[in-house]
Amino acid sequence: MLWGSRFDKAPDELFARFQNSFHFDWRLYDADVRGSIAYSKALARVGILTDAEASEIERGLLVVRDEFAAGEFEAKPGDEDIHTAVERRLHELIGPPAHKLHTGRSRNDQVATDMRLYVRDAIARADAAVRELQVALVEQAEKYPHALVPGYTHVRRAQPVLWAHYLLSFFWMLARDRERFADAAKRVAVMPLGAGALAGNPFGVDRDFLARELGFARPSENSLDAVSDRDFIAEYLFAASLLQLHLSRLAEDFVFYSAPEFGFIALDDAYTTGSSIMPQKKNPDSMELVRGKTGRVIGDLNTLLIVLKGAPSSYDKDFQEDKEPLFDAADTLEMTLGVVTGVIRTMRVNVETMRAALDEGMLATDLAEYLVRKGLPFRQAHHVVGGLVKLAEARGAKNSGGKFSSGKFSDLSLDEFRGASELFDEDVFVVLDYDASVKARAVFGGTAPAAVAEQLKLARKGLDAAKRG
Ligand code: ARG
């Protein structure tokens, strides 16, 4: 035990289980060992440890780390948290110098440092995984540069777009997610060690040295804030939540797009499951779970915010509850990213079915724009085309013997067009073309093939820049 001499009793057994965190915070072992090695060096520099003792401590800590990494670390009943466990084991391994390591340090600045090291690594892993997913999207976009798909709003066919344009819409969401992680990383890069319990280190340890050793940008400016600050975890969890949410929306689309009623894509067998009763079923469980697990990650963010909201300033044991949500979110996010990347890489795309799902109603805006080009104000043009939609629908219903039908502009004669507006001419039928509709949207960021080619170039460039950085 790291404390206890001023107590007459050991903790109640239930309370001990309640407050122990080793069963989850053992995952900080690598960060804890790194932090302690740096701290032992800082202690040697101010003469609290001899160089020989510091080397002994380093050697011992590396053994402890190896034991954890190999899954061979043996926990003992008194190991209340990772810090206690590491120090206990270090003492078994190297004897007396182990008991000097905690000089001037508190578990408060220690755990704050460990958590920052952990989050830093988690951000690096998430960033690399998001980049992989971006690569998969770009590669799929490049596979079918001319394929058209219905673009939807309100899950109603709206206007035709390039399939590549649709896929790349997710690329840019992910680009923002990576920016958010990179931005959060700047605030993670502040080092608490040397803050002590709350008031600062009395032995003059060189905090700039510690920051350099541990790869932080600078030491924290205020020891009270240093042991109190968990903002960086909240920021990670928010960035993770928003990223999960983007993946969830993609998953939602893909559940529909892979349904036989749509048939735009087929998910690979490796990412689908069967039914225990209905032999024909192939279910998109991978995508459904991406949606479901998003709730978990958002819940993790909520958990932390609620833990923090009532905590008095400086350190409080409440903060121990920051770990499980962080670990859970990081595990969930990393798994989710791997699965989504796999789904994108292996999906089959049915270009013909996507095209066949376009309907002429999706060209109504193009018709109105045709009239605008002939001089009609847009609001009037919208009104005229609305009348034509009604007419085409009535025609469609009649042609199908009164059954429901959406009707087609191409079923109307030029006279009927001209009945709606004198501005219509033979060339109106040229407008009734999906490829022409897409091609017209050639602004930067639009869905025209030329604009999408430019977009792809930017995406590729963004990937390379991020790799260099
Ligand atoms: N397990 C604790 C945590 O995660 C470590 C810090 C404990 N500090 C203390 N003064 N009890 O927050």
Side-chain angles (χ1 to χ4, degrees), residues 360 363-364 366-367 409-410 417 427-434 436:
E360 279 187 15
L363 299 171
D366 297 81
L367 276 183
F409 292 124
S410 56
F417 273 106
D427 58 356
V428 63
F429 296 104
V430 177
V431 173
L432 295 178
D433 178 85
Y434 302 121

Side-chain angles (χ1 to χ4, degrees), residues 118-417:
Y118 189 91
V119 170
R120 188 170 80 193
D121 292 347
I123 287 178
R125 286 194 305 271
D127 182 68
V130 178
R131 187 180 185 282
E132 281 297 294
L133 175 53
Q134 286 182 305
V135 169
L137 286 166
V138 164
E139 284 172 357
Q140 279 289 0
E142 283 170 342
K143 250 194 211 166
Y144 305 102
H146 305 295
L148 296 187
V149 68
Y152 294 88
T153 59
H154 314 266
V155 203
R156 299 292 180 273
R157 281 176 281 206
Q159 291 181 322
V161 295
L162 283 190
W163 170 241
H165 194 55
Y166 166 77
L167 287 176
L168 288 177
S169 70
F170 289 97
F171 180 97
W172 302 107
M173 292 177 219
L174 298 174
R176 292 194 295 278
D177 291 320
R178 293 181 68 193
E179 279 177 29
R180 253 183 296 276
F181 278 127
D183 188 59
K186 289 184 216 155
R187 283 175 294 282
V188 176
V190 176
M191 193 214 51
L193 206 52
L198 75 166
N201 185 294
F203 296 103
V205 291
D206 183 344
R207 299 189 67 219
D208 290 311
F209 165 81
L210 278 170
R212 274 199 307 281
E213 279 288 298
L214 292 170
F216 286 104
R218 61 171 205 278
S220 55
E221 294 83 358
N222 181 305
S223 58
L224 282 169
D225 180 42
V227 296
S228 173
D229 178 15
R230 297 294 184 275
D231 295 0
F232 63 99
I233 306 175
E235 288 193 53
Y236 170 85
L237 290 175
F238 175 71
S241 294
L242 201 51
L243 167 53
Q244 274 279 163
L245 185 153
H246 292 148
L247 302 177
S248 183
R249 295 185 70 181
L250 178 144
E252 171 72 355
D253 281 4
F254 276 33
V255 166
F256 282 97
Y257 290 179
S258 64
E261 286 80 352
F262 279 75
F264 297 174
I265 56 173
L267 303 185
D268 194 83
D269 279 1
Y271 294 99
T272 51
T273 59
S275 156
S276 61
I277 175 169
M278 299 167 282
Q280 87 283 10
K281 293 276 290 206
K282 180 170 153 178
N283 297 327
D285 292 32
S286 53
M287 296 290 89
E288 295 166 69
L289 272 173
V290 168
R291 260 182 352 212
K293 284 182 188 290
T294 299
R296 241 178 118 122
V297 175
I298 294 170
D300 291 328
L301 169 64
N302 268 309
T303 299
L304 181 71
L305 292 176
I306 295 166
V307 164
L308 296 179
K309 75 171 263 294
S313 69
S314 183
Y315 178 83
D316 304 281
K317 187 73 168 235
D318 314 38
F319 296 172
Q320 185 164 287
E321 292 294 315
D322 63 1
K323 289 169 195 63
E324 287 165 292
L326 171 65
F327 297 153
D328 183 67
D331 292 346
T332 306
L333 178 70
E334 288 164 31
M335 249 205 290
T336 303
L337 283 164
V339 167
V340 175
T341 303
V343 165
I344 301 281
R345 283 219 172 100
T346 56
M347 69 181 176
R348 278 174 301 125
V349 179
N350 196 339
V351 171
E352 287 76 33
T353 307
M354 291 190 315
R355 192 174 177 102
L358 300 170
D359 82 61
E360 279 187 15
M362 304 178 78
L363 299 171
T365 315
D366 297 81
L367 276 183
E369 287 155 1
Y370 166 95
L371 294 174
V372 165
R373 292 201 168 90
K374 304 240 166 170
L376 200 64
F378 179 76
R379 195 47 59 212
Q380 276 156 261
H382 186 287
H383 185 80
V384 168
V385 176
L388 288 169
V389 169
K390 220 189 212 175
L391 191 62
E393 268 182 9
R395 178 70 38 80
K398 197 168 146 219
N399 289 349
S400 63
K403 279 198 299 261
F404 174 79
S405 165
S406 60
K408 288 186 189 162
F409 292 124
S410 56
D411 286 343
L412 305 179
S413 65
L414 181 56
D415 280 349
E416 284 170 312
F417 273 106

